[in-house]
Amino acid sequence: MIIEIRKVGFINKGAELMLLAILDKLRLKYPNAKFVMQPNHDDYINRAKLGLYQKVHFRRYNIRWDRLFYIIPSSIRKKFGMVMDDEVDIVLDATGFGYSDQWGTEYTNKTSFDIQMWKKNGTKVIFMPQAFGPFNLKNIAIYFKTIVNQADLICVRDEMSYEYINNLVGDRENIKKFPDFTNLLTGVLPKDFSSEENKICIVPNVRMQDMTSEKESNEYANFMAKCVKILYEADCKPFFLIHEGKKDLLLANEIIKIAEVEVNIILETDALKIKGIIGSCDAMLGSRFHGLVNALSQGVPAIAIGWSHKYQMLLKDYSFEDGILNVTDDEEKINKVLLNLIDVEKRELIASTLKTKSIIQKEKVEQMWDEVYAIVDTVNNG
């Protein structure tokens, strides 16, 4: 049995966590399964470490050219760990958030094209828990209807995403609501990390500058600088943790320069160690979705500054709706919300609620896996 895991990677640590979460569960359940992933950037070494086969995928001008690889005998393709589309039994899509007006038509268009080919091959297609919508653009709506009609299971991560899909296609048996599934992973705390020197984690996100309005984009760095300065002056030991690549690092340095404070920046490439660091903190302030999941699922109070509905919905799952800030908020609102992180009693009360909610969220994720197993079993036992 060959299982393809789509739209994951190693630069964005949320995408890496989703990959690790899938491998962690499915390798235990199906030890003889082979896992394949499309090459993405220069990630061969990372894929090789995880024992992932290479999916042959080559598209230009919306034309699939990978059929040319069929001239290579299958025995040679197997020797080099190459897998063709019609050799895949199950596709697990872990895009996270791409099927939406906010990302334009590219993701949805390509997937609507691919899913029709997969189904002709008899491939099972599962969309792992992720955010969806809105679908106000005509082409997005058409493409996504095709996806819904072909998918075996679509796991929707939040109520608003569910509503967007329901308004588009109505009630469907193949659409079910489950939370983010990276919460079951256990973090690893690096030996050289100091919890005494680094207490409140700041996770910036460059998407706050290219996926928001012009006003929000221009204000984001200044807004984050205000927050960092408040936490610094309250002796909360804030520090930056980079969740995705060079752009977030440049943004962190810009924020520090504006705030005129000296705080640490931690660059960690291991996604599980990033989760371990966040789990050891007193609190978190961040704009990366999976950074927030890392915090909330471990009972760490987290304030979100986000660019889509998925942030509000995540905090609602943990009964912490007051944990949202907007870059347009005034200083009175900022101080009021950050007090939840600064005041020890408030912070501990929030942490207690988060730990209770985390248990519930993890139980729901286990239920999601039962749904996935039921579909995979139809192939594995076939």
Side-chain angles (χ1 to χ4, degrees):
M1 179 171 62
I2 298 178
I3 301 174
E4 179 184 356
I5 307 173
R6 295 184 78 239
K7 301 300 181 181
V8 289
F10 301 95
I11 296 176
N12 180 298
K13 296 307 159 183
E16 184 176 353
L17 285 169
M18 288 191 285
L19 171 61
L20 295 175
I22 291 170
L23 292 175
D24 185 62
K25 297 295 282 189
L26 293 187
R27 277 185 166 152
L28 182 64
K29 181 76 172 177
Y30 307 101
N32 295 321
K34 296 177 181 178
F35 295 88
V36 61
M37 178 178 161
Q38 289 182 17
N40 185 29
H41 304 293
D42 298 324
D43 61 5
Y44 173 78
I45 297 299
N46 289 317
R47 285 183 286 116
K49 287 178 181 178
L50 294 176
L52 298 171
Y53 286 71
Q54 329 301 319
K55 172 70 180 298
V56 177
H57 183 87
F58 185 66
R59 171 183 280 163
R60 285 291 184 274
Y61 311 111
N62 210 28
I63 297 173
R64 294 284 299 271
W65 299 95
D66 35 70
R67 290 192 171 276
L68 296 173
F69 283 78
Y70 279 110
I71 64 175
I72 303 173
S74 61
S75 59
I76 296 178
R77 293 201 309 268
K78 288 179 181 179
K79 182 178 179 180
F80 287 94
M82 299 164 64
V83 175
M84 304 298 290
D85 249 322
D86 60 4
E87 295 172 321
V88 174
D89 298 296
I90 299 162
V91 169
L92 297 181
D93 184 296
T95 299
F97 186 46
Y99 305 107
S100 164
D101 293 341
Q102 287 177 275
W103 279 105
T105 61
E106 181 179 2
Y107 278 126
T108 316
N109 181 17
K110 287 181 178 179
T111 302
S112 70
F113 175 86
D114 289 337
I115 198 170
Q116 294 177 77
M117 179 181 60
W118 296 330
K119 298 312 291 185
K120 287 179 182 178
N121 294 336
T123 305
K124 299 292 184 182
V125 183
I126 300 169
F127 289 80
M128 300 300 288
Q130 54 191 280
F132 294 93
F135 307 106
N136 295 317
L137 298 178
K138 182 179 178 181
N139 286 344
I140 289 280
I142 293 171
Y143 297 145
F144 195 75
K145 283 180 182 178
T146 299
I147 291 171
V148 172
N149 290 335
Q150 298 290 332
D152 292 274
L153 176 64
I154 295 178
C155 297
V156 182
R157 204 165 54 191
D158 59 79
E159 291 178 8
M160 192 172 291
S161 293
Y162 190 91
E163 185 176 336
Y164 284 140
I165 296 179
N166 188 267
N167 290 339
L168 181 67
V169 300
D171 290 324
R172 299 290 184 96
E173 290 185 2
N174 63 336
I175 300 173
K176 300 185 179 182
K177 182 176 173 293
F178 296 107
D180 183 80
F181 60 98
T182 63
N183 58 359
L184 298 182
L185 289 170
T186 301
V188 178
L189 186 64
K191 293 180 180 178
D192 59 350
F193 178 77
S194 172
S195 297
E196 289 300 315
E197 295 179 8
N198 307 287
K199 293 187 176 182
I200 293 188
C201 180
I202 313 292
V203 179
N205 185 356
V206 72
R207 296 284 83 82
M208 287 295 298
Q209 294 182 315
D210 61 22
M211 294 294 289
T212 57
S213 67
E214 183 178 355
K215 182 178 181 181
E216 291 174 306
S217 175
N218 292 336
E219 283 298 317
Y220 179 65
N222 291 325
F223 173 84
M224 292 295 284
K226 289 179 186 177
C227 294
V228 171
K229 194 162 188 176
I230 290 170
L231 295 172
Y232 179 83
E233 291 177 349
D235 197 30
C236 290
K237 300 291 192 299
F239 71 99
F240 281 84
L241 181 63
I242 305 305
H243 222 264
E244 181 182 335
K246 295 179 180 179
K247 291 184 178 180
D248 279 6
L249 175 59
L250 290 171
L251 179 56
N253 279 303
E254 180 186 356
I255 293 167
I256 291 171
K257 184 177 180 180
I258 294 170
E260 298 181 325
V261 295
E262 292 185 10
V263 297
N264 295 331
I265 297 179
I266 294 179
L267 287 168
E268 174 55 65
T269 59
D270 188 316
L272 293 180
K273 287 183 179 179
I274 285 178
K275 182 164 187 174
I277 289 171
I278 292 174
S280 73
C281 293
D282 289 345
M284 176 184 162
L285 174 74
S287 299
R288 284 281 173 190
F289 179 85
H290 281 99
L292 293 164
V293 173
N294 283 341
L296 298 169
S297 65
Q298 296 181 91
V300 176
I303 303 298
I305 305 97
W307 56 272
S308 82
H309 68 274
K310 63 182 181 177
Y311 294 88
Q312 290 92 337
M313 294 295 100
L314 173 64
L315 290 176
K316 185 176 181 180
D317 282 343
Y318 285 87
S319 295
F320 188 36
E321 290 92 333
D322 292 337
I324 285 279
L325 277 173
N326 297 304
V327 298
T328 54
D329 287 335
D330 57 29
E331 290 198 21
E332 182 180 354
K333 174 70 178 295
I334 295 171
N335 279 288
K336 181 181 178 181
V337 173
L338 291 185
L339 189 62
N340 288 320
L341 307 187
I342 296 170
D343 185 276
V344 176
E345 290 186 6
K346 288 179 179 291
R347 195 170 66 220
E348 290 180 350
L349 184 61
I350 294 167
S352 178
T353 300
L354 295 178
K355 289 173 183 176
T356 300
K357 293 296 179 180
S358 179
I359 294 171
I360 297 171
Q361 295 299 301
K362 289 176 180 178
E363 289 173 349
K364 290 180 179 179
V365 171
E366 293 289 6
Q367 293 169 12
M368 180 274 297
W369 279 115
D370 288 339
E371 295 277 352
V372 172
Y373 296 154
I375 294 172
V376 176
D377 284 343
T378 63
V379 175
N380 193 49
N381 299 328

